[in-house]
Protein backbone atom coordinates (compact mmCIF):
# COMPACT_ATOMS: atom_id res chain seq x y z
CA UNK A 1 0.00 0.00 0.00
CA UNK A 2 2.77 2.41 0.95
CA UNK A 3 4.50 1.78 -2.39
CA UNK A 4 1.30 2.44 -4.26
CA UNK A 5 0.81 5.75 -2.47
CA UNK A 6 4.43 6.71 -3.07
CA UNK A 7 4.26 5.79 -6.75
CA UNK A 8 1.03 7.71 -7.15
CA UNK A 9 2.61 10.77 -5.61
CA UNK A 10 5.63 10.48 -7.91
CA UNK A 11 3.35 10.03 -10.92
CA UNK A 12 1.26 13.06 -9.97
CA UNK A 13 4.38 15.14 -9.50
CA UNK A 14 5.66 14.06 -12.92
CA UNK A 15 2.33 14.77 -14.60
CA UNK A 16 2.20 18.13 -12.85
CA UNK A 17 5.60 19.14 -14.14
CA UNK A 18 4.71 18.04 -17.67
CA UNK A 19 1.43 19.89 -17.81
CA UNK A 20 3.04 23.21 -17.00
CA UNK A 21 4.01 23.11 -20.65
CA UNK A 22 1.48 23.28 -23.43
CA UNK A 23 0.90 19.65 -24.45
CA UNK A 24 1.46 20.34 -28.14
CA UNK A 25 4.78 22.08 -27.57
CA UNK A 26 7.77 20.22 -28.92
CA UNK A 27 11.47 20.69 -28.37
CA UNK A 28 14.66 19.93 -30.26
CA UNK A 29 15.98 16.72 -28.75
CA UNK A 30 19.64 17.21 -29.68
CA UNK A 31 21.72 19.57 -31.83
CA UNK A 32 20.24 19.14 -35.32
CA UNK A 33 20.19 20.49 -38.84
CA UNK A 34 17.08 22.20 -40.18
CA UNK A 35 16.61 22.14 -43.95
CA UNK A 36 14.98 25.18 -45.53
CA UNK A 37 12.83 25.20 -48.69
CA UNK A 38 15.72 26.24 -50.91
CA UNK A 39 18.06 23.55 -49.59
CA UNK A 40 20.02 25.88 -47.29
CA UNK A 41 20.35 24.75 -43.70
CA UNK A 42 20.38 26.07 -40.17
CA UNK A 43 21.99 24.47 -37.14
CA UNK A 44 19.46 24.16 -34.32
CA UNK A 45 20.54 23.56 -30.76
CA UNK A 46 19.24 21.26 -28.03
CA UNK A 47 16.13 22.37 -26.16
CA UNK A 48 14.82 24.87 -28.69
CA UNK A 49 10.99 24.99 -28.72
CA UNK A 50 9.48 24.17 -32.11
CA UNK A 51 5.94 24.36 -33.43
CA UNK A 52 5.08 21.48 -35.71
CA UNK A 53 3.33 22.84 -38.81
CA UNK A 54 3.02 19.63 -40.78
CA UNK A 55 3.73 15.92 -40.43
CA UNK A 56 5.50 14.53 -43.50
CA UNK A 57 6.08 10.82 -42.86
CA UNK A 58 9.38 10.49 -41.02
CA UNK A 59 9.92 14.26 -41.19
CA UNK A 60 8.14 17.26 -39.78
CA UNK A 61 7.91 20.84 -40.97
CA UNK A 62 8.56 23.12 -38.04
CA UNK A 63 8.57 26.78 -37.14
CA UNK A 64 11.19 28.21 -34.80
CA UNK A 65 11.16 31.76 -33.44
CA UNK A 66 13.85 34.02 -32.12
CA UNK A 67 15.87 37.20 -32.51
CA UNK A 68 18.44 37.43 -35.26
CA UNK A 69 21.87 39.02 -35.00
CA UNK A 70 24.15 38.37 -37.97
CA UNK A 71 23.82 34.67 -38.75
CA UNK A 72 22.81 33.79 -35.19
CA UNK A 73 19.33 33.49 -33.71
CA UNK A 74 18.81 33.89 -29.95
CA UNK A 75 15.85 33.28 -27.62
CA UNK A 76 15.81 36.92 -26.53
CA UNK A 77 17.20 40.29 -27.48
CA UNK A 78 19.77 39.95 -24.71
CA UNK A 79 21.50 37.20 -26.74
CA UNK A 80 22.00 34.85 -23.79
CA UNK A 81 20.71 31.62 -25.28
CA UNK A 82 21.54 30.45 -28.80
CA UNK A 83 18.65 29.03 -30.83
CA UNK A 84 20.17 28.60 -34.28
CA UNK A 85 22.99 29.43 -36.65
CA UNK A 86 21.82 29.91 -40.22
CA UNK A 87 23.70 29.22 -43.42
CA UNK A 88 24.02 32.09 -45.88
CA UNK A 89 20.95 32.18 -48.10
CA UNK A 90 18.60 30.46 -45.63
CA UNK A 91 15.17 32.09 -46.02
CA UNK A 92 14.17 33.83 -42.82
CA UNK A 93 10.73 35.37 -42.21
CA UNK A 94 11.17 38.70 -40.48
CA UNK A 95 8.24 39.53 -38.25
CA UNK A 96 9.51 42.54 -36.32
CA UNK A 97 12.83 44.27 -35.92
CA UNK A 98 15.30 41.42 -35.31
CA UNK A 99 12.42 39.04 -34.61
CA UNK A 100 12.43 36.12 -37.03
CA UNK A 101 10.77 32.83 -37.84
CA UNK A 102 12.72 29.94 -39.33
CA UNK A 103 10.74 27.33 -41.23
CA UNK A 104 12.21 24.05 -42.35
CA UNK A 105 12.08 20.29 -42.11
CA UNK A 106 13.89 17.81 -39.96
CA UNK A 107 13.50 14.22 -38.84
CA UNK A 108 10.57 13.80 -36.46
CA UNK A 109 12.86 11.78 -34.19
CA UNK A 110 14.84 14.93 -33.45
CA UNK A 111 11.87 16.50 -31.68
CA UNK A 112 10.21 15.53 -28.43
CA UNK A 113 7.41 16.86 -26.28
CA UNK A 114 8.91 15.21 -23.22
CA UNK A 115 11.23 17.57 -21.36
CA UNK A 116 12.67 14.68 -19.38
CA UNK A 117 13.72 13.11 -22.69
CA UNK A 118 15.39 16.31 -23.80
CA UNK A 119 17.13 17.32 -20.58
CA UNK A 120 17.39 14.08 -18.57
CA UNK A 121 21.11 13.54 -19.15
CA UNK A 122 21.95 17.18 -18.57
CA UNK A 123 19.99 17.09 -15.34
CA UNK A 124 21.87 14.02 -14.13
CA UNK A 125 25.17 15.69 -14.87
CA UNK A 126 24.01 18.82 -13.07
CA UNK A 127 23.17 16.90 -9.90
CA UNK A 128 26.39 14.95 -10.12
CA UNK A 129 28.56 18.06 -10.47
CA UNK A 130 26.69 20.65 -8.45
CA UNK A 131 25.48 18.92 -5.30
CA UNK A 132 28.83 18.04 -3.78
CA UNK A 133 28.84 21.10 -1.50
CA UNK A 134 25.19 22.18 -1.33
CA UNK A 135 21.78 21.00 -2.50
CA UNK A 136 21.15 21.61 -6.20
CA UNK A 137 19.38 24.96 -6.53
CA UNK A 138 16.07 24.90 -8.43
CA UNK A 139 17.17 25.80 -11.94
CA UNK A 140 14.02 27.78 -12.77
CA UNK A 141 14.37 29.96 -9.67
CA UNK A 142 17.14 31.93 -11.39
CA UNK A 143 17.25 33.99 -14.56
CA UNK A 144 19.72 33.31 -17.36
CA UNK A 145 21.75 36.29 -16.27
CA UNK A 146 21.91 35.08 -12.68
CA UNK A 147 23.07 31.67 -13.86
CA UNK A 148 25.75 33.23 -16.01
CA UNK A 149 27.03 35.21 -13.02
CA UNK A 150 26.94 32.37 -10.47
CA UNK A 151 28.40 29.93 -12.96
CA UNK A 152 31.64 31.85 -13.26
CA UNK A 153 32.60 30.80 -9.73
CA UNK A 154 30.77 27.47 -9.58
CA UNK A 155 32.35 25.99 -12.71
CA UNK A 156 35.70 26.38 -11.01
CA UNK A 157 34.35 24.80 -7.82
CA UNK A 158 33.02 21.85 -9.82
CA UNK A 159 36.27 21.65 -11.84
CA UNK A 160 34.50 21.57 -15.21
CA UNK A 161 36.41 21.64 -18.47
CA UNK A 162 35.36 23.90 -21.37
CA UNK A 163 33.00 21.38 -22.96
CA UNK A 164 31.36 20.35 -19.67
CA UNK A 165 30.90 23.98 -18.72
CA UNK A 166 29.10 24.96 -21.92
CA UNK A 167 27.00 21.76 -21.79
CA UNK A 168 25.88 22.58 -18.26
CA UNK A 169 25.44 26.31 -18.75
CA UNK A 170 23.14 25.67 -21.69
CA UNK A 171 21.00 23.41 -19.49
CA UNK A 172 20.87 26.04 -16.75
CA UNK A 173 19.96 28.89 -19.10
CA UNK A 174 17.44 26.91 -21.14
CA UNK A 175 15.63 25.95 -17.94
CA UNK A 176 16.02 29.33 -16.24
CA UNK A 177 12.93 31.39 -15.36
CA UNK A 178 13.35 33.41 -18.56
CA UNK A 179 14.76 30.51 -20.63
CA UNK A 180 12.93 28.40 -23.20
CA UNK A 181 10.27 27.21 -20.80
CA UNK A 182 9.09 30.36 -19.11
CA UNK A 183 7.66 29.77 -15.65
CA UNK A 184 5.52 31.99 -13.52
CA UNK A 185 5.96 32.19 -9.77
C1 LIG B 1 33.35 22.88 -4.05
C2 LIG B 1 32.02 23.20 -3.54
C3 LIG B 1 30.97 23.66 -4.53
C4 LIG B 1 30.62 23.09 -5.72
C5 LIG B 1 31.17 21.83 -6.38
C6 LIG B 1 29.54 23.91 -6.27
N1 LIG B 1 29.25 24.93 -5.41
FE1 LIG B 1 27.75 26.30 -5.63
N2 LIG B 1 28.31 27.20 -3.87
C7 LIG B 1 29.37 26.82 -3.09
C8 LIG B 1 29.52 27.78 -2.00
C9 LIG B 1 30.59 27.72 -0.91
C10 LIG B 1 28.51 28.74 -2.16
C11 LIG B 1 28.20 29.97 -1.30
C12 LIG B 1 29.25 31.06 -1.50
C13 LIG B 1 29.15 31.77 -2.78
O1 LIG B 1 28.05 32.23 -3.16
O2 LIG B 1 30.21 31.97 -3.43
C14 LIG B 1 27.75 28.34 -3.34
C15 LIG B 1 26.65 29.00 -3.82
C16 LIG B 1 25.92 28.64 -4.94
C17 LIG B 1 24.74 29.31 -5.40
C18 LIG B 1 24.05 30.47 -4.71
C19 LIG B 1 24.76 31.73 -5.06
C20 LIG B 1 23.90 32.93 -4.82
O3 LIG B 1 24.44 34.04 -5.00
O4 LIG B 1 22.74 32.78 -4.47
C21 LIG B 1 24.34 28.70 -6.54
C22 LIG B 1 23.13 29.04 -7.38
C23 LIG B 1 25.29 27.64 -6.83
N3 LIG B 1 26.23 27.64 -5.82
C24 LIG B 1 25.25 26.83 -7.93
C25 LIG B 1 26.21 25.84 -8.19
C26 LIG B 1 26.28 25.11 -9.43
C27 LIG B 1 25.37 25.30 -10.63
C28 LIG B 1 27.30 24.21 -9.32
C29 LIG B 1 27.79 23.23 -10.34
C30 LIG B 1 28.41 23.78 -11.54
C31 LIG B 1 27.88 24.41 -7.99
N4 LIG B 1 27.19 25.40 -7.36
C32 LIG B 1 28.92 23.67 -7.49
C33 LIG B 1 30.16 25.70 -3.27
C34 LIG B 1 30.11 24.84 -4.35
Amino acid sequence: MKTIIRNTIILLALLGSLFQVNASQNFIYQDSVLKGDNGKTAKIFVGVPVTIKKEMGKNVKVSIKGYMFGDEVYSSKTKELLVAKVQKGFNVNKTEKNEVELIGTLSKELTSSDLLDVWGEHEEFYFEMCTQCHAGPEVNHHTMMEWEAVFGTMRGFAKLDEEEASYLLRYLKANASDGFIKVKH
Side-chain angles (χ1 to χ4, degrees), residues 2 8 10 22 61 69 75 85 93 97 115 123 138:
K2 264 196 179 139
T8 309
I10 292 175
N22 183 340
K61 186 172 216 172
F69 299 88
S75 73
K85 240 183 175 153
N93 298 336
K97 197 167 185 263
L115 285 170
E123 190 172 85
E138 292 274 355

Side-chain angles (χ1 to χ4, degrees), residues 126 129-130 132-134 137 142 147 150-151 154 157-158 168 172:
Y126 168 62
M129 291 298 137
C130 303
Q132 297 159 24
C133 310
H134 48 66
H142 295 275
W147 275 122
V150 170
F151 200 70
M154 293 306 143
F157 280 1
L168 201 50
L172 295 173

Side-chain angles (χ1 to χ4, degrees), residues 88-139:
K88 212 173 168 173
F90 189 97
N91 278 334
V92 172
N93 298 336
K94 291 211 161 76
T95 49
E96 263 180 56
K97 197 167 185 263
N98 291 355
E99 205 177 336
V100 294
E101 182 186 26
L102 309 181
I103 292 182
T105 53
L106 79 176
S107 165
K108 193 177 178 178
E109 280 175 5
L110 296 171
T111 68
S112 171
S113 59
D114 184 350
L115 285 170
L116 209 59
D117 249 13
V118 178
W119 294 113
E121 278 175 31
H122 286 74
E123 190 172 85
E124 240 173 71
F125 187 64
Y126 168 62
F127 281 112
E128 196 180 312
M129 291 298 137
C130 303
T131 56
Q132 297 159 24
C133 310
H134 48 66
E138 292 274 355
V139 178

Side-chain angles (χ1 to χ4, degrees), residues 39-107:
K40 302 288 181 194
T41 58
K43 204 168 174 217
I44 310 292
F45 300 98
V46 61
V48 166
V50 299
T51 307
I52 294 186
K53 308 273 265 187
K54 202 162 140 199
E55 305 258 351
M56 302 156 63
K58 278 188 179 167
N59 293 335
V60 282
K61 186 172 216 172
V62 298
S63 152
I64 294 169
K65 291 195 171 143
Y67 298 85
M68 190 138 185
F69 299 88
D71 63 347
E72 292 177 333
V73 178
Y74 288 88
S75 73
S76 66
K77 289 180 186 166
T78 47
K79 300 207 260 181
E80 279 156 322
L81 187 54
L82 195 56
V83 165
K85 240 183 175 153
V86 303
Q87 193 186 15
K88 212 173 168 173
F90 189 97
N91 278 334
V92 172
N93 298 336
K94 291 211 161 76
T95 49
E96 263 180 56
K97 197 167 185 263
N98 291 355
E99 205 177 336
V100 294
E101 182 186 26
L102 309 181
I103 292 182
T105 53
L106 79 176
S107 165

